[in-house]
Amino acid sequence: SAVISQKPSRDICQRGTSLTIQCQVDSQVTMMFWYRQQPGQSLTLIATANQGSEATYESGFVIDKFPISRPNLTFSTLTVSNMSPEDSSIYLCSVEETISGANVLTFGAGSRLTVL
Amino acid sequence: GEDVEQSLFLSVREGDSSVINCTYTDSSSTYLYWYKQEPGAGLQLLTYIFSNMDMKQDQRLTVLLNKKDKHLSLRIADTQTGDSAIYFCAGSSGGSYIPTFGRGTSLIVHP
């Protein structure tokens, strides 16, 4: 399966600042997904990042707050803008793969952000 | 859309079997998944089952699917301390391959 590297693995940020998370995949993939995992909560899909087009955002998430880049088929970034303590979460990058005929998601290790 | 529910905590003794349960709402779910998240790590796919199957076994893992009741379970035989983690149930509904995740069940294995 694909190997996904995320940077940073964790960070502590000040309120009002922005942070960009990088996601690198070891193979070319069509779609990359960004998820948020708030403490004690499930995973929530933020957006789908397609190469060569604007990201598709889920309800409740907007481009101004979570701008996404997808410059090529192996790389994507997610920026968390103007952060507040409510943005403290784990942010996960994932890609879709077909394994033994099933469509599955493979995840990076996540980026744990704490906003003070 | 799909809604997935699972209990939040399960505590078992080392060597016992663990059974983690999950219910889902969308009867058209094509795939149902179990993911494992160890502390400080991302989600790792453990196993999955097609909606046309009732059971799938993979070494210590057994997945049971009751489509009538929309109930999915994961049984871990001979649970070890290394199995301590959060286990997420997920289902993909309709034509979407993007799964909806439950809140995760925290499995604690004690000696």
Side-chain angles (χ1 to χ4, degrees):
Chain A
S1 60
V3 176
I4 301 173
S5 303
Q6 275 188 245
K7 287 194 297 189
S9 58
R10 59 179 63 233
D11 207 340
I12 298 174
C13 309
Q14 295 299 318
R15 182 195 296 260
T17 62
S18 299
L19 183 81
T20 296
I21 301 166
Q22 299 179 5
C23 178
Q24 179 76 53
V25 189
D26 69 343
S27 57
Q28 294 185 336
V29 294
T30 305
M31 285 197 237
M32 296 174 75
F33 306 93
W34 287 99
Y35 280 85
R36 180 174 73 182
Q37 184 182 15
Q38 293 177 300
Q41 300 297 315
S42 178
L43 278 73
T44 303
L45 180 64
I46 298 171
T48 303
N50 303 315
Q51 194 268 336
S53 64
E54 293 283 332
T56 303
Y57 288 83
E58 297 298 305
S59 175
F61 297 97
V62 295
I63 188 170
D64 289 346
K65 176 67 176 177
F66 297 101
I68 287 171
S69 79
R70 183 79 200 273
N72 57 53
L73 291 173
T74 63
F75 187 78
S76 178
T77 67
L78 170 76
T79 299
V80 186
S81 302
N82 188 24
M83 287 186 282
S84 66
E86 292 72 35
D87 294 318
S88 297
S89 288
I90 301 173
Y91 292 86
L92 294 148
C93 170
S94 71
V95 302
E96 188 218 5
E97 296 189 275
T98 301
I99 298 177
S100 301
N103 295 331
V104 301
L105 290 183
T106 298
F107 287 85
S111 299
R112 182 184 294 270
L113 301 189
T114 301
V115 184
L116 303 177
Chain B
E2 180 83 277
D3 190 22
V4 178
E5 297 285 340
Q6 50 185 129
S7 54
L8 296 183
F9 298 99
L10 177 65
S11 177
V12 300
R13 188 171 299 177
E14 190 174 18
D16 287 351
S17 293
S18 307
V19 180
I20 303 171
N21 295 300
C22 167
T23 57
Y24 60 97
T25 56
D26 192 334
S27 58
S28 67
S29 291
T30 307
Y31 303 112
L32 294 139
Y33 312 86
W34 284 104
Y35 283 84
K36 176 183 180 183
Q37 185 179 36
E38 295 181 355
L43 274 72
Q44 170 196 356
L45 178 69
L46 268 184
T47 187
Y48 61 88
I49 188 168
F50 287 103
S51 59
N52 62 358
M53 298 169 64
D54 296 324
M55 186 183 86
K56 181 179 180 181
Q57 186 148 7
D58 183 2
Q59 299 181 343
R60 292 191 296 123
L61 305 179
T62 303
V63 178
L64 294 178
L65 175 60
N66 182 327
K67 288 184 286 293
K68 174 176 172 289
D69 295 337
K70 300 191 191 71
H71 182 269
L72 182 74
S73 67
L74 173 69
R75 179 177 181 270
I76 305 173
D78 187 25
T79 312
Q80 303 298 307
T81 55
D83 295 322
S84 294
I86 302 175
Y87 291 80
F88 289 91
C89 171
S92 60
S93 62
S96 171
Y97 50 80
I98 301 174
T100 298
F101 290 83
R103 290 178 62 184
T105 298
S106 182
L107 174 65
I108 300 165
V109 183
H110 53 90

